[in-house]
Amino acid sequence: MDRVTTILHERMDAVNARFSSPLRSKRLTVVLGRWLGAAFTVCFVTGLFSHLLQNPPGWMLFPTRPVWLYVATQGIHVTAGIASIPLLAAKLWSVFPELLRWPPLKSVMHGLERASIALFVAASLVEVTTGLLNTFHWYPWPFSFRDVHYWLGWVVIGSLALHIALKLPLIRAHWSRRSAAAAEEAPPSETVPAAIAAANGPGWSRRGFLAAITAGTGVVVLTTAGQSFSWLAGLNLFAPRRMDTGPQGVPINRTAAQAGVADAALAPDWVLTVSSESVQKTLTLAQLGALPQYSYGLPIACVEGWSQDAQWRGVRIRDLIAMVGAPADSELQISSLEQGGVYGRSFMPAAYSQDEQTLLALELNGMPLDLDHGYPARIIAPGRPGVLQTKWVQKVEVI
């Protein structure tokens, strides 16, 4: 057994030496870990906000101002997620030779450390990969992206916290360049076999490597964030969505044909039903058009990260529910012509229904709604996720 252990030890050391680099150090790993931890924390907080808006607990507050709040939080969420991809790759590169150490488990604490790393790496890779594919609106898997992405976020942040707790002494020792342990850290020429250092030549310095990672991450962010932030739209090279595209200059995710509502939406006998307890009114499109109309510039923002400012015109929701005798701060259920879709019905809390800028929109950018934007009527409310801005509305119910 000892001979086998010795042979495995020697072979793993040989493989490890083959992948050694004078760039790797505990200080480098800690610096990359700080950046990656910050990116994942931003993703987690902004993603949690988006999830709670869609699945509100009883204590949830629904901020409707500033109207661009969801644009900012979801844009930051997707941008930070994209930035985490090169950071995660660099972090894994900096530590992967540690996986080639023998024996693989030295103690219970070492086993916990390895388990936390395995869980963190596996969950992180799935999280960023599925998140990136979501920005392209491509779902080649049989499970619910939203549910899996949400719960994996908890796994990532939990395993990250466990990993930090287990590595805290090392992190503290190498947190700054002036820390005693970092100052005592042997230079690369003393930690890497001389032959390997010589073979690698002078190469990159650690500072140069970090500068390259920073520049690469910055380029990725600047060339994708333009799908959310208009001042970066001119630099948008790789993001799947671009502003001012789509019918009436606004992108769409789901067409009327995909939702199976085209015939019902274009039917001449379409009416909107507004109800509260025993009171019910039906309004044709012409009757809705005869009511007082209001126009507001509001952004529509998608969970996939893109957003678009637009001019919406229509009837205030609070005016509609006043017609059936309900107070402005009523909670509503909005039903679409779409049958069976996840967002065919949406819950509208009082914060939105009483807001003067929440509209049953009939026009977009000065024209009647395009069929794919929700003709004959759709919801637009300030600070609300795009998936809840229900299209092809047929019923507004006070609940």
Side-chain angles (χ1 to χ4, degrees):
M1 181 61 72
D2 289 343
R3 179 175 172 77
V4 172
T5 300
T6 300
I7 291 173
L8 288 172
H9 196 122
E10 291 175 351
R11 291 189 176 180
M12 293 298 284
D13 280 352
V15 173
N16 197 347
R18 181 178 300 177
F19 291 103
S20 293
S21 167
L23 287 179
R24 292 193 181 92
S25 69
K26 294 182 176 61
R27 167 69 181 158
L28 175 70
T29 299
V30 169
V31 172
L32 291 171
R34 289 194 322 221
W35 295 351
L36 183 61
F40 276 173
T41 301
V42 169
C43 282
F44 179 75
V45 172
T46 52
L48 185 61
F49 176 67
S50 178
H51 178 83
L52 292 178
L53 284 180
Q54 298 180 56
N55 302 274
W59 50 263
M60 183 70 185
L61 299 176
F62 302 93
T64 59
R65 298 294 184 280
V67 297
W68 44 261
L69 179 61
Y70 190 71
V71 172
T73 60
Q74 196 59 22
I76 291 171
H77 176 79
V78 173
T79 302
I82 291 173
S84 72
I85 295 174
L87 295 177
L88 179 60
K91 180 72 160 55
L92 293 177
W93 176 87
S94 75
V95 298
F96 89 87
E98 294 299 319
L99 299 175
L100 305 176
R101 303 289 185 190
W102 191 268
L105 298 178
K106 301 175 182 176
S107 64
V108 173
M109 189 61 71
H110 188 235
L112 286 174
E113 176 195 333
R114 288 295 179 100
S116 71
I117 293 174
L119 185 61
F120 173 70
V121 171
S124 299
L125 289 174
V126 175
E127 187 78 335
V128 298
T129 301
T130 54
L132 181 64
L133 293 180
N134 178 60
T135 66
F136 287 87
H137 206 222
W138 183 35
Y139 308 101
W141 47 72
F143 51 80
S144 164
F145 164 77
R146 191 180 65 162
D147 292 341
V148 172
H149 197 68
Y150 171 69
W151 288 111
L152 268 183
W154 283 100
V155 173
V156 169
I157 210 70
S159 58
L160 176 61
L162 177 60
H163 180 60
I164 290 174
L166 292 169
K167 288 288 191 179
L168 192 56
L170 186 147
I171 293 171
R172 293 177 61 183
H174 298 273
W175 184 260
S176 71
R177 284 179 294 181
R178 295 180 180 178
S179 65
E184 292 171 3
E185 187 178 347
S189 60
E190 296 178 21
T191 57
V192 178
I196 295 172
N200 287 328
W204 287 36
S205 66
R206 185 170 60 200
R207 182 172 297 180
F209 178 78
L210 289 173
I213 293 298
T214 303
T217 303
V219 168
V220 170
V221 169
L222 289 174
T223 53
T224 55
Q227 67 178 338
S228 303
F229 304 105
S230 58
W231 64 88
L232 292 173
L235 301 175
N236 192 3
L237 295 177
F238 301 116
R241 297 303 181 98
R242 286 172 172 73
M243 293 183 172
D244 302 320
T245 59
Q248 298 176 280
V250 178
I252 57 170
N253 268 1
R254 188 167 174 78
T255 66
Q258 290 171 328
V261 300
D263 292 340
L266 294 171
D269 60 347
W270 174 88
V271 293
L272 173 76
T273 300
V274 184
S275 64
S276 174
E277 297 182 345
S278 59
V279 182
Q280 178 172 302
K281 289 187 72 71
T282 57
L283 297 155
T284 65
L285 185 57
Q287 290 171 322
L288 284 170
L291 295 175
Q293 303 290 301
Y294 297 85
S295 183
Y296 299 106
L298 293 173
I300 186 165
C302 183
V303 294
E304 297 158 8
W306 63 265
S307 61
Q308 175 73 60
D309 290 326
Q311 196 70 25
W312 305 89
R313 187 169 186 268
V315 183
R316 293 191 305 199
I317 285 293
R318 68 184 192 183
D319 291 347
L320 283 177
I321 58 178
M323 296 174 65
V324 292
D329 61 350
S330 297
E331 296 182 336
L332 309 176
Q333 177 172 280
I334 312 295
S335 298
S336 169
L337 291 169
E338 182 177 3
Q339 303 295 318
V342 176
Y343 299 105
R345 290 183 179 179
S346 65
F347 166 70
M348 178 177 286
Y352 299 112
S353 60
Q354 66 185 344
D355 193 294
E356 65 177 5
Q357 294 192 14
T358 299
L359 298 177
L360 181 77
L362 307 177
E363 297 183 9
L364 168 59
N365 288 335
M367 297 179 290
L369 285 174
D370 184 274
L371 180 60
D372 289 336
H373 279 306
Y375 177 88
R378 70 169 300 167
I379 295 295
I380 185 72
R384 207 163 187 229
V387 291
L388 300 179
Q389 311 280 38
T390 308
K391 297 195 288 188
W392 310 295
V393 174
Q394 69 167 344
K395 187 180 297 182
V396 176
E397 298 173 90
V398 176
I399 56 177

